[in-house]
């Protein structure tokens, strides 16, 4: 056996990698080297069992994971990976559907509608097809129910309404599918549903793929939904060679259809299943693992595991109570500054995680207030920016002229004298003749007697059509990067975008970055380039070149790791979320516990658990109980901040509650304000009118000092120290 494939593997990893052919389930705890197991398993199949790479398929959930795995496999096999299928579920299904498009009512040049496209299309369905108010029937909510149906492989005719809103969803689903087909388009869920139903309903197609793929490997198996499981079950029904790596304890995407119970279905459908446990952790300290284990052990219906590491001990976990979300944010910023100054962490190795996106506001405010950079994971993505979507819309029309959504986006962008009335007339004429918008444009440009328009409007539409047809004619023989440059040049888009403002210049820079991306993809056909762009996830766009703390939801944190992790908002009603507290079957609470577990196990060395005495929600400030998950952790694993790291400055305990004794704030507090001053960030002060508060920002203003103080009762106030008559509370 080639030593490079098995040397260095621990006992569990070796058992998984060298398992005999057949169904294998690897239950991999966090940080246990699951990517290593998957890549070494592929190398073992090729090198030791002599399986040709083109007969192996490996499925992941992010492009980033797929790229990393392919890179590692190439290293292990010396580049002998020709024909190996490696990619996300969605990208692999997209490739299959390209080849089998006619079987599902598409043509091979179909486009993939992203979230914004789906929302825009559903708004048309609700307001025009159903003549309903899209505020009463929000597109996002309707799409959510349709997505759930597609994940369960339910077509519009099989949708069974449970209430009146569901009845509207059923009707919307029918119109939505019809409009997708008319646009020769699919959404993300269609990629999975169409492929699974294709295999289920066309036995000749299924047999062809079963005979061409001998081994299927799956990453993050606990996150698969019903459609993905059916796809895997059918694909491996002949060979039985399915190798799944997952962990029930890290299943946190139930809201989008993921079902950890697929692990039990795997055991049912493959009774000869071999199970291997990976319990040795290579990421976190034993203190962090013991605390996380105490939290997750309270969940039932799971395979017991006992995580261990060679990194015995480690710093204890910091538990901190903040007065409110502003104090919470200040504490996080201060602690990051402390750790960086002490040389304990780089800013980019710090992460702040929270349950809901809304919690980021106070944190962002604190970073901005102190002029500190940060990365917001899951915010407006590069490919979601207006200018990027504009340019991609041109490429999508070139590839698929039936994509009327993209056509409508750019028909007058940049402005070319095609107004709303002209567009409405064109749409009406196209619909009355049963043709697409692109066909209507083409007829107008080629036949002077066609259509209802004349004069300037007709000339503008004709000119636009000639441009599109010209690009389409040369697109198959031109690299994507060159095609993109040609589109930008002939439309004058960059000149229109650069309006002289800073924002305009940034938009031009974004478009030029897209040109760079396209140039790097010079070997890809246009359709594959558009697929890759459409299927990029938030985590895929997380760059490593900015040395700044990351802010993210716990859902976005999956698969990441950091030296320092802050879990904030650990209160009843926040984490666990209020919905889970009210859930009668306790399944939502189990998922909240898994979220906490995932967050804790992202930390390599330092872990902070932070909660607030008061939090403002929907404009109302209320007193909260700390999260029940904190109480599951053995007290001996927890310490207050001042006892956390010997030799580091003492920042004091949590802000005092009204009516309690004043707390001392150390003058040795880490400075993240500007200049040397008598009153510093973090000090508690007394104002004769506003009462007690904490200094959250400080700067010199001429010969005076300006401070921002978060008062317990009066809220945030900006004061000049020479006039404020502030008293520092030092005891």
């Amino acid at each position: 056996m080639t030593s490079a494939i098995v040397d260095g593997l621990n006992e569990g990893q070796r058992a998984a990698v060298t398992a005999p052919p057949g169904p294998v389930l690897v239950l991999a705890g966090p940080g246990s080297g699951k990517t290593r197991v998957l890549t070494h398993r592929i190398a073992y199949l090729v090198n030791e069992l002599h399986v040709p790479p083109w007969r192996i398929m490996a499925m992941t959930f992010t492009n980033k994971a797929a790229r990393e795995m392919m890179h590692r496999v190439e290293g292990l096999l010396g580049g002998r990976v020709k024909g190996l299928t490696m990619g996300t579920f969605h990208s692999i299904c997209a490739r299959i559907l390209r080849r089998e498009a006619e079987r599902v009512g598409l043509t091979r040049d179909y486009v993939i509608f992203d979230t914004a496209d789906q929302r825009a299309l559903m708004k048309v369905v609700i307001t025009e097809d159903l003549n309903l108010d899209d505020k009463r029937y929000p597109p996002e909510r309707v799409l959510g129910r349709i997505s759930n149906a597609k994940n369960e492989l339910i077509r519009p005719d099989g949708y069974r309404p449970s209430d009146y809103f569901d009845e509207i969803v059923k009707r919307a689903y029918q119109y939505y599918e019809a409009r997708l087909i008319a646009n020769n388009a699919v959404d993300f869920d269609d990629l999975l549903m169409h492929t699974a139903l294709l295999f289920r309903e066309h036995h000749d197609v299924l047999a062809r793929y079963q005979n061409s793929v001998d081994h299927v490997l799956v990453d993050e198996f606990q996150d698969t939904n019903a459609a993905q499981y059916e796809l895997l079950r059918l694909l491996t029904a002949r060979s039985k060679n399915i190798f799944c790596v997952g962990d029930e304890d890290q299943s946190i995407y139930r809201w989008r259809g993921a079902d950890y119970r697929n692990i039990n279905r795997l055991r049912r459908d493959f009774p000869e299943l071999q199970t291997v446990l990976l319990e040795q952790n290579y990421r976190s300290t034993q203190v962090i693992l013991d605390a996380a284990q105490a939290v997750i052990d309270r969940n039932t219906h799971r395979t017991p595991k006992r995580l261990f590491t060679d990194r015995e001990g480690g710093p204890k976990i910091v538990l901190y109570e903040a007065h409110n979300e502003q104090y919470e944010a200040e504490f996080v910023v201060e602690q990051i500054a402390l750790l960086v100054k002490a040389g304990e962490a780089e800013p980019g190795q710090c992460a702040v995680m929270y349950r809901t996106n809304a919690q980021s506001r106070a944190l962002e405010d604190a970073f901005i207030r102190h002029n500190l950079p940060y990365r917001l994971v899951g915010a407006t993505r590069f490919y979601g920016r207006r200018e990027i979507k504009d340019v991609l819309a041109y490429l999508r029309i070139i590839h698929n002229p039936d994509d009327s959504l993209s056509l409508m986006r750019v028909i007058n962008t940049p402005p070319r004298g095609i107004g709303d009335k002209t567009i409405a007339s064109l749409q009406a004429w196209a619909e009355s003749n049963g043709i697409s918008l692109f066909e209507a444009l083409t007829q107008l440009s080629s036949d002077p007697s066609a259509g209802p328009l004349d004069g300037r409007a007709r000339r503008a539409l004709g000119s636009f059509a000639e441009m599109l047809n010209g690009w389409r004619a040369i697109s198959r023989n031109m690299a994507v990067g060159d095609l993109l440059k040609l589109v930008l040049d002939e439309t004058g888009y960059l000149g229109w975008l650069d309006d002289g403002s800073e924002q305009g210049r940034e938009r031009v820079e974004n478009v030029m970055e897209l040109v760079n991306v396209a140039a790097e993809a010079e070997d890809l056909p246009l359709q594959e380039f558009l697929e890759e762009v459409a299927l990029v996830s938030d985590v895929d766009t997380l760059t490593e070149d900015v040395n700044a703390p990351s802010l993210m939801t716990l859902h976005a944190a999956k698969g990441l790791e950091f030296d320092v992790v802050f879990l904030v908002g650990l209160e009843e009603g926040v984490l666990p979320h209020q919905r889970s507290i009210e859930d009668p079957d306790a399944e939502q609470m189990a998922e909240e516990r898994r979220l906490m577990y995932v967050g804790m196990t992202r930390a390599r060395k330092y872990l902070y658990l932070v909660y607030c005495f008061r939090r403002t929600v929907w404009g109302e400030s209320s007193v909260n109980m700390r999260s029940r998950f904190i109480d599951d952790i053995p007290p001996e694993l927890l310490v207050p901040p001042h006892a956390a790291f010997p030799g580091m400055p003492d920042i004091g305990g949590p802000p005092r509650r009204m009516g309690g004794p004043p707390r001392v704030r150390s003058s040795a507090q880490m400075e993240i304000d500007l200049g040397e001053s008598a009153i510093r960030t973090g000090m508690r002060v007394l104002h004769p009118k506003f009462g007690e508060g904490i200094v959250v920002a400080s700067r010199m203003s001429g010969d005076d000092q300006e401070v921002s103080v978060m008062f317990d009762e009066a809220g945030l106030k900006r004061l000049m120290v020479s006039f404020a008559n502030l008293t520092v509370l030092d005891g």
Side-chain angles (χ1 to χ4, degrees):
M1 187 178 296
T2 304
S3 61
I5 295 176
V6 296
D7 281 359
L9 300 179
N10 65 38
E11 183 179 348
Q13 292 171 338
R14 183 184 290 254
V17 167
T18 62
V24 179
L25 172 63
V26 182
L27 292 177
S32 61
K34 66 179 180 64
T35 302
R36 192 178 195 202
V37 165
L38 280 163
T39 53
H40 283 245
R41 174 65 173 182
I42 293 171
Y44 178 80
L45 291 174
V46 174
N47 224 46
E48 304 301 324
L49 300 187
H50 308 295
V51 180
W54 57 87
R55 300 187 71 85
I56 298 173
M57 178 181 290
M59 295 186 175
T60 68
F61 274 83
T62 66
N63 293 301
K64 183 179 180 181
R67 287 193 299 268
E68 181 182 351
M69 285 175 59
M70 181 63 84
H71 178 73
R72 292 198 197 182
V73 172
E74 286 175 339
L76 288 168
L77 292 176
R80 293 181 293 119
V81 295
K82 185 176 180 180
L84 172 65
T85 300
M86 175 88 72
T88 65
F89 274 93
H90 291 88
S91 65
I92 290 174
C93 286
R95 286 179 233 167
I96 293 172
L97 290 178
R98 291 286 174 206
R99 294 191 290 265
E100 315 295 340
E102 290 78 7
R103 297 289 192 117
V104 295
L106 297 166
T107 65
R108 296 191 177 192
D109 57 356
Y110 71 82
V111 293
I112 303 168
F113 277 11
D114 65 15
T115 304
D117 298 327
Q118 294 170 45
R119 192 181 302 116
L121 190 63
M122 182 55 70
K123 184 170 183 176
V124 172
V125 167
I126 292 170
T127 58
E128 296 183 14
D129 294 334
L130 297 179
N131 196 27
L132 295 171
D133 182 357
D134 63 344
K135 296 198 171 40
R136 186 175 180 187
Y137 300 98
E140 294 86 353
R141 187 178 173 197
V142 175
L143 283 167
R145 296 208 184 182
I146 291 174
S147 176
N148 290 339
K150 289 185 176 185
N151 288 338
E152 296 292 330
L153 302 178
I154 299 171
R155 291 188 172 107
D157 56 359
Y159 193 88
R160 298 290 177 262
S162 59
D163 53 32
Y164 182 72
F165 188 89
D166 251 358
E167 180 62 41
I168 298 299
V169 170
K170 179 179 176 67
R171 291 157 57 192
Y173 191 1
Q174 293 167 333
Y175 281 112
Y176 176 70
E177 286 302 290
R179 284 189 175 269
L180 281 174
I181 293 170
N183 281 276
N184 193 28
V186 298
D187 62 21
F188 295 133
D189 297 316
D190 285 331
L191 293 172
L192 304 177
M193 183 177 76
H194 285 329
T195 308
L197 293 178
L198 173 73
F199 285 171
R200 181 190 283 180
E201 297 170 358
H202 297 273
H203 296 155
D204 60 323
V205 176
L206 175 60
R208 190 167 3 110
Y209 284 91
Q210 286 178 335
N211 291 331
S212 65
V213 179
D214 287 334
H215 291 265
V216 177
L217 298 90
V218 188
D219 189 16
E220 305 285 9
F221 180 71
Q222 78 283 345
D223 291 335
T224 54
N225 58 31
Q228 289 161 326
Y229 180 78
E230 180 69 354
L231 182 70
L232 295 168
R233 186 187 69 80
L234 291 168
L235 196 55
T236 60
R238 182 188 63 82
S239 71
K240 308 295 184 185
N241 292 327
I242 182 170
F243 187 92
C244 301
V245 179
D247 182 10
E248 307 115 308
D249 294 337
Q250 297 185 72
S251 179
I252 59 173
Y253 298 115
R254 182 171 178 255
W255 53 276
R256 68 181 188 196
D259 191 348
Y260 71 93
R261 290 171 297 186
N262 282 343
I263 290 176
N264 291 332
R265 296 185 180 104
L266 189 72
R267 291 177 173 133
R268 177 198 66 200
D269 293 332
F270 297 88
E272 65 275 41
L273 183 72
Q274 308 165 70
T275 301
V276 180
L277 295 183
L278 298 185
E279 299 173 296
Q280 184 169 357
N281 180 282
Y282 292 91
R283 176 189 301 153
S284 307
T285 66
Q286 192 64 51
V287 167
I288 292 172
L289 294 180
D290 288 346
Q293 191 83 55
V295 171
I296 201 63
D297 278 347
R298 298 291 296 271
N299 269 2
T300 56
H301 307 299
R302 54 180 290 271
T303 305
K305 290 184 288 295
R306 184 55 52 189
L307 302 180
F308 67 94
T309 178
D310 291 338
R311 299 175 62 193
E312 296 182 3
K316 291 188 177 183
I317 297 165
V318 176
L319 180 64
Y320 182 75
E321 179 192 59
H323 182 70
N324 58 26
E325 59 267 33
Q326 284 78 30
Y327 289 7
E328 178 181 65
E330 286 295 323
F331 171 75
V332 168
V333 172
E334 289 172 352
Q335 283 295 298
I336 291 175
L338 278 169
L339 290 165
V340 170
K341 184 177 182 181
E344 292 292 319
E346 286 292 316
Q349 278 303 319
C350 299
V352 190
M353 302 175 187
Y354 36 82
R355 178 63 178 84
T356 64
N357 275 307
Q359 291 171 256
S360 76
R361 183 198 58 77
L363 292 160
E364 289 185 75
D365 285 352
F367 277 95
I368 292 170
R369 198 159 48 237
H370 294 296
N371 197 29
L372 296 176
Y374 63 93
R375 298 184 295 180
L376 189 61
V377 180
T380 301
R381 298 186 299 140
F382 175 77
Y383 293 108
R385 291 168 180 159
R386 190 195 77 185
E387 60 274 14
I388 301 302
K389 290 183 70 66
D390 284 348
V391 177
L392 289 175
Y394 277 107
L395 296 183
R396 285 169 57 162
I397 302 164
I398 294 169
H399 172 58
N400 171 25
D402 292 329
D403 182 359
S404 61
L405 211 62
S406 292
L407 185 60
M408 289 295 294
R409 182 180 187 96
V410 298
I411 194 169
N412 198 41
T413 303
R416 49 178 62 92
I418 303 174
D420 291 342
K421 288 185 179 180
T422 299
I423 294 172
S425 296
L426 178 68
Q427 286 180 303
W429 185 65
E431 290 177 9
S432 66
N433 286 275
I435 58 177
S436 70
L437 280 178
F438 182 81
E439 289 175 304
L441 275 173
T442 301
Q443 288 190 29
L444 283 174
S445 65
S446 61
D447 183 358
S449 63
L453 300 165
D454 54 24
R456 189 179 68 174
R458 186 185 189 89
R459 288 193 298 273
L461 289 172
S463 176
F464 182 52
E466 287 174 11
M467 260 198 318
L468 292 178
N469 280 305
W471 297 330
R472 280 180 53 75
I474 62 175
S475 63
R476 295 187 183 278
N477 300 313
M478 182 178 280
V480 176
D482 294 334
L483 178 63
L484 181 51
K485 290 176 185 176
L486 181 65
V487 170
L488 293 172
D489 181 52
E490 294 192 356
T491 59
Y493 184 80
L494 289 180
W496 171 73
L497 204 60
D498 190 359
D499 57 5
S501 68
E502 183 63 30
Q503 187 179 44
R505 286 189 289 272
E506 287 179 2
R507 287 174 172 167
V508 170
E509 289 172 1
N510 288 336
V511 174
M512 295 313 297
E513 179 60 26
L514 181 64
V515 173
N516 295 337
V517 173
E520 292 171 2
E522 60 181 350
D523 296 331
L524 287 182
L526 178 57
Q527 70 175 39
E528 291 187 24
F529 173 74
L530 291 172
E531 274 179 18
E532 288 204 354
V533 168
L535 298 175
V536 169
S537 72
D538 289 340
V539 172
D540 291 327
T541 62
L542 180 59
T543 59
E544 304 296 334
D545 57 350
V546 179
N547 190 19
S550 297
L551 312 184
M552 67 190 74
T553 66
L554 284 162
H555 285 103
K558 185 72 176 300
L560 303 177
E561 57 184 60
F562 301 88
D563 287 343
V564 184
V565 169
F566 294 82
L567 298 187
V568 300
L570 298 183
E571 300 125 41
E572 292 290 293
V574 181
L575 183 68
H577 196 279
Q578 188 62 38
R579 286 193 302 269
S580 67
I581 297 173
E582 299 166 352
D583 180 27
D585 64 9
E587 181 50 42
Q588 289 190 42
M589 181 61 72
E591 178 134 340
E592 295 292 302
R593 192 176 290 279
R594 292 193 291 270
L595 266 177
M596 177 79 170
Y597 176 75
V598 165
M600 295 174 73
T601 54
R602 299 310 93 195
R604 296 191 190 104
K605 186 176 181 181
Y606 295 121
L607 176 60
Y608 289 76
L609 307 179
V610 188
Y611 63 99
C612 293
F613 170 58
R614 305 184 70 92
R615 184 175 296 276
T616 302
V617 180
W618 298 105
E620 296 291 330
S621 178
S622 60
V623 175
N624 296 332
M625 293 178 60
R626 75 181 191 181
S627 172
R628 66 190 69 189
F629 303 150
I630 293 175
D631 296 326
D632 294 332
I633 301 171
E636 61 269 19
L637 301 179
L638 304 171
V639 292
H642 65 274
F645 314 120
M648 293 179 66
D650 177 6
I651 69 154
R656 78 174 185 88
R657 298 178 181 177
M658 292 302 294
R663 292 186 181 272
V664 175
R665 301 291 290 184
S666 170
S667 60
Q669 163 128 8
M670 171 64 190
E671 291 181 48
I672 53 176
D673 54 340
L674 300 177
E676 296 291 332
S677 55
I679 296 181
R680 299 181 183 179
T681 304
M683 288 183 173
R684 284 198 64 81
V685 295
L686 175 66
H687 186 274
K689 177 180 178 182
F690 301 132
E692 294 182 21
I694 186 171
V695 179
V696 295
S698 169
R699 71 182 185 92
M700 297 308 295
S701 179
D703 295 331
D704 206 346
Q705 180 187 3
E706 179 186 292
V707 293
S708 295
V709 182
M710 179 61 68
F711 289 100
D712 296 339
E713 294 296 323
L716 187 64
K717 303 290 183 183
R718 285 185 179 176
L719 306 168
M720 302 306 292
V721 170
S722 61
F723 298 101
N725 194 20
L726 294 173
T727 302
V728 176
L729 297 176
D730 56 358

